[in-house]
Amino acid sequence: MEKLIEEIIKINPAYKYLRLKNLTYSAVSDSCEIDFCYPEEEPFLENAKASFAQIRKIAKQLTGIETHCNFYKADASSELVLLSVQSIIKAELNINNYPFKNIEIKREKPIKITANIEELYYDYALAKQLDKILEEKLSDTYCADFSVQLNKIQADINIDEILKTEPIKVTKIENKRLIHPISVNFLVGKEITEPAIYIKDLSLYSEQDVVICGVIRGFKKATYKSKKNPESDKEKTYYKFTLEDFTGQVGCIYFAPNSAVPKVDILTDGSEIIVSGKAQQGRNSLEVHIRSISLCEIPKDLVEVKLRYPVPDKYELIIPEEIKIVEQVNFLVKDEIPEEIKKNTYVVIDLETTGTEDNDRITEIAAVKIIDGKICQLFTTLINPKKRIPEKVSKITGITDEMVAMSPTFEQVAGDLYKFCHGAILVGHNILEFDLPVLNRYSDITHYYYDEHQVLDTLVIAREKLKGKINNFKLNTVAEYFNITNIMAHRAQFDALTTAKVFLELSKLS
C-alpha cells in the first residue's frame, strides 16, 4: 500500500498528503477497491474531478487489474485530534487515564500539539520518542503536518501510591455463583476441596484452572499411541465425555495414566462427578482438560443465583471526562434534535474484543453520554483480556498484547461502567447482536446487569430509515451518508463517538 502512494507521488508530487485508508481485493471479480483520505484543505485539488480521475488512472495502471477508488476528506477537527492524541498516549505509555486538560492544540501550520506528561512517565516518553510517534500517527490519520512538544508536569497524585507492587488498587471481585456438591469422594488425581463454578460461566475462565461438576453424558473410552515414541506398541488411554450441570454443558477430556484406568472405568453415563482441570479452546469449542476427578452428589434443588450489585457511590478507576462536540455534521438536515431525545439520557457503547466466540474477551471499552441531545461525556479504557490477542485481530483494531499488559481487567472496571450507564438508555451499532451479549456474559461474574436498561440499535434504526438510500448498513457507510468521518474505525472511542453522532442524525429523520 505504501508503494502505491510512493508511485502516485512520483507521478504528481502535489499528491504528497494523500493517504491510503483501506485496500480490499476481491478474488471473485479479480478487482480491488481502494479508499483514499485527503486533507481538509486540499491544495492539490485545484480541479477535484480531474485529480480524482488521474489518481484512479494511476492506481489502475499500478495494480494491473480493475480498480475502484473512493475519496474521503480527513476531518481534522480539534475534538477528533484531541481524542487521537489521548488514545495514542494512553496506548504508548500503558496508562489508563490521560485527561484532555493535559493536551493543548493550536490551529497553526503545522498544527501544534503540546502534551503535558506527568513526571513519572516523562523520561519514558522521551526515551520512546513519543513526540515523533504522535507526529507520524497524527499525520497519517489527518493528512496534515503536526508539531508535537512534550512538557513535564508534576503528578496530580502521590507517586509512591503508583509505585506500589499492585498497580491497580480495586476491590477483588469473586464469583458468587458456585455449586457445593454433596459427599465428595476422591477418585483420581488430587483431592478436590473447592466448590465448582457454573458451566455457564466457564467461558470467562478460558486458559485458566477451573473446578466444575455435573452429570456425565456421552462417555467414551479410546486409546492412542505416544507421538514421542511412535514405534512403541504400547497404547495410552483417554476418556471423552460431556459434563452437564443445571446451567449448561461442556466437553471434557481426560488422558489417564495406566494406574488410573481401572478407577475411571467405573464411570458411565449418568455418573455425577466434580473435576478440576484447565479450560481451553478446542478445535471447535471450549473444552476442559481434566487433571483430577472425584465422585459426588449434585444438589437437586439448585436455583440460578443472580446477585445484583447496587450502583457504586463513586468511580474507582476510570473517571469519565467532559467532551464538547461543536460541529454540525450534516448541513442538509435541519439541525433540530427531537424533544423526545432531549428528554432522555443515552449512553452509546462500543466494545473491542479478542474475537467473536463465546469465550473471547473485551480489549477496549468506550461509552459516550448524550444529555439534552448533546454529546457531553466520554468513558474509555483499554482492558486486559487475560489471554493473547490474535494477530489478525490486532491488525484490525491496532490493539496489541503490549498495549493492554498494564490495563485493568473488565471485572475491575465493571462498577465504573455500570455507574456511567445508570439511568440511561443504551445505544450501539449492532448492540443487540454483539455488545450487549458480550456484557451479559460478564454480568454473572461482576454482578452488574444491564437487563433493565432500554436498548436502541442504530443498525436496526438505519435499516428502517435509510432503506434504499445506501448499499449496506455498516457503521462507516451510515456515517458517510451523514458526512460523518470515522477517523479510526475499530477503536472503541472513535466508533462510539461516530455511533453517537449517527444516532443523533437518525433521530432527526421522520
Side-chain angles (χ1 to χ4, degrees):
M1 290 175 71
E2 289 79 7
K3 182 68 174 174
L4 180 59
I5 287 288
E6 288 174 13
E7 293 300 320
I8 289 174
I9 293 171
K10 281 181 187 176
I11 294 169
N12 188 340
Y15 299 150
K16 66 178 181 178
Y17 286 112
L18 201 64
R19 297 290 188 273
L20 270 172
K21 282 184 68 180
N22 193 35
L23 188 152
T24 306
Y25 171 72
S26 171
V28 177
S29 60
D30 190 28
S31 64
C32 71
E33 186 167 348
I34 305 174
D35 294 340
F36 288 102
C37 191
Y38 62 91
E40 199 168 24
E41 296 178 2
E42 55 275 17
F44 64 93
L45 292 180
E46 293 178 6
N47 183 331
K49 190 173 181 180
S51 295
F52 289 160
Q54 185 180 12
I55 294 168
R56 287 188 178 100
K57 185 177 179 181
I58 295 167
K60 190 170 182 178
Q61 288 172 346
L62 291 172
T63 60
I65 58 175
E66 184 64 32
T67 302
H68 307 280
C69 299
N70 304 310
F71 299 89
Y72 303 97
K73 183 185 288 188
D75 178 5
S77 59
S78 294
E79 90 200 23
L80 291 177
V81 173
L82 194 68
L83 284 171
S84 294
V85 173
Q86 183 197 57
S87 178
I88 294 167
I89 290 176
K90 285 166 67 176
E92 294 295 332
L93 299 185
N94 290 321
I95 53 180
N96 301 316
N97 292 304
Y98 184 78
F100 291 135
K101 68 179 182 179
N102 285 355
I103 306 168
E104 299 170 24
I105 302 174
K106 290 185 179 179
R107 307 297 302 193
E108 301 175 2
K109 289 187 178 179
I111 299 172
K112 291 187 178 178
I113 306 291
T114 301
N116 296 309
I117 309 295
E118 290 182 355
E119 52 191 318
L120 177 64
Y121 306 103
Y122 183 72
D123 289 342
Y124 177 57
L126 287 182
K128 197 168 186 178
Q129 295 187 302
L130 179 62
D131 51 346
K132 302 303 179 190
I133 292 172
L134 281 164
E135 287 173 358
E136 290 174 9
K137 290 190 174 183
L138 291 172
S139 175
D140 284 344
T141 301
Y142 296 101
C143 308
D145 290 328
F146 288 82
S147 174
V148 177
Q149 179 180 333
L150 305 180
N151 283 346
K152 183 194 291 188
I153 60 170
Q154 200 167 15
D156 288 340
I157 56 178
N158 189 337
I159 291 180
D160 291 334
E161 286 293 316
I162 300 174
L163 293 177
K164 284 184 178 179
T165 307
E166 194 65 35
I168 299 167
K169 187 180 179 181
V170 292
T171 303
K172 184 180 178 183
I173 295 175
E174 296 181 357
N175 185 6
K176 301 291 195 304
R177 293 156 58 91
L178 301 171
I179 301 173
H180 296 266
I182 304 166
S183 305
V184 177
N185 294 308
F186 169 77
L187 187 64
V188 294
K190 293 183 178 179
E191 187 177 356
I192 301 171
T193 57
E194 303 171 53
I197 64 170
Y198 288 10
I199 288 177
K200 181 179 180 180
D201 297 341
L202 199 57
S203 62
L204 293 176
Y205 292 85
S206 179
E207 304 301 325
Q208 297 181 49
D209 290 336
V210 296
V211 175
I212 56 174
C213 67
V215 180
I216 291 177
R217 307 291 186 202
F219 188 77
K220 294 178 182 176
K221 177 182 178 181
T223 58
Y224 68 100
K225 286 191 175 183
S226 171
K227 290 183 179 179
K228 293 181 180 179
N229 190 12
E231 295 179 359
S232 172
D233 292 332
K234 290 184 178 179
E235 292 186 329
K236 296 191 174 183
T237 303
Y238 70 94
Y239 299 85
K240 290 191 77 171
F241 55 88
T242 296
L243 197 61
E244 180 180 83
D245 69 5
F246 76 112
T247 70
Q249 58 183 30
V250 66
C252 297
I253 186 166
Y254 176 59
F255 294 94
N258 291 336
S259 59
V261 171
K263 298 177 182 179
V264 181
D265 278 345
I266 70 169
L267 299 177
T268 62
D269 279 15
S271 296
E272 297 183 1
I273 60 172
I274 181 169
V275 303
S276 66
K278 186 174 183 179
Q280 58 190 65
Q281 183 62 39
R283 183 174 297 177
N284 299 310
S285 61
L286 193 70
E287 62 185 21
V288 176
H289 286 219
I290 293 172
R291 289 193 287 265
S292 302
I293 305 174
S294 288
L295 297 168
C296 69
E297 181 184 339
I298 310 297
K300 302 300 183 288
D301 56 351
L302 291 173
V303 177
E304 185 173 355
V305 174
K306 277 201 173 183
L307 174 65
R308 294 175 182 267
Y309 285 168
V311 180
D313 293 329
K314 61 180 181 178
Y315 292 101
E316 293 287 346
L317 193 60
I318 306 302
I319 313 298
E321 287 199 81
E322 301 298 318
I323 182 171
K324 189 174 182 181
I325 308 299
V326 295
E327 97 274 16
Q328 181 179 332
V329 293
N330 186 1
F331 293 98
L332 301 177
V333 178
K334 193 175 181 182
D335 191 24
E336 288 185 357
I337 303 296
E339 288 303 314
E340 186 64 28
I341 299 296
K342 290 183 178 181
K343 285 193 300 185
N344 295 303
T345 297
Y346 300 87
V347 168
V348 183
I349 291 179
D350 188 84
L351 306 176
E352 301 300 333
T353 63
T354 57
T356 57
E357 301 298 325
D358 284 348
N359 64 314
D360 278 305
R361 294 176 66 89
I362 296 171
T363 57
E364 188 176 31
I365 304 168
V368 172
K369 187 167 286 186
I370 299 173
I371 299 176
D372 192 31
K374 296 181 178 66
I375 296 169
C376 60
Q377 284 186 329
L378 172 68
F379 177 104
T380 179
T381 180
L382 288 167
I383 295 293
N384 188 337
K386 292 296 183 182
K387 65 182 294 187
R388 293 191 65 82
I389 302 173
E391 186 178 349
K392 63 180 181 180
V393 174
S394 289
K395 285 181 179 178
I396 295 171
T397 65
I399 301 171
T400 64
D401 291 327
E402 181 186 15
M403 286 167 59
V404 301
M406 294 298 291
S407 298
T409 63
F410 179 79
E411 290 88 334
Q412 291 171 317
V413 304
D416 289 343
L417 178 63
Y418 190 69
K419 180 175 176 61
F420 187 74
C421 295
H422 179 62
I425 297 170
L426 302 184
V427 181
H429 201 76
N430 201 28
I431 187 173
L432 294 172
E433 297 294 327
F434 181 71
D435 305 271
L436 200 56
V438 172
L439 285 176
N440 287 340
R441 287 207 302 269
Y442 283 90
S443 291
D444 291 329
I445 302 299
T446 64
H447 309 296
Y448 293 110
Y449 290 86
Y450 293 86
D451 52 5
E452 295 178 354
H453 285 76
Q454 184 181 341
V455 181
L456 296 175
D457 196 324
T458 52
L459 175 61
V460 174
I461 299 170
R463 283 173 176 162
E464 293 172 355
K465 295 193 174 188
L466 300 180
K467 186 177 180 181
K469 296 180 180 180
I470 51 179
N471 295 328
N472 62 68
F473 297 94
K474 294 177 182 177
L475 176 59
N476 282 356
T477 305
V478 178
E480 285 160 13
Y481 175 81
F482 293 113
N483 297 321
I484 299 168
T485 302
N486 188 358
I487 284 296
M488 211 175 291
H490 303 298
R491 285 304 301 270
Q493 65 189 48
F494 291 92
D495 283 351
L497 181 60
T498 299
T499 304
K501 292 179 180 180
V502 162
F503 171 67
L504 291 176
E505 291 302 307
L506 286 169
S507 73
K508 299 173 189 176
L509 302 180
S510 58

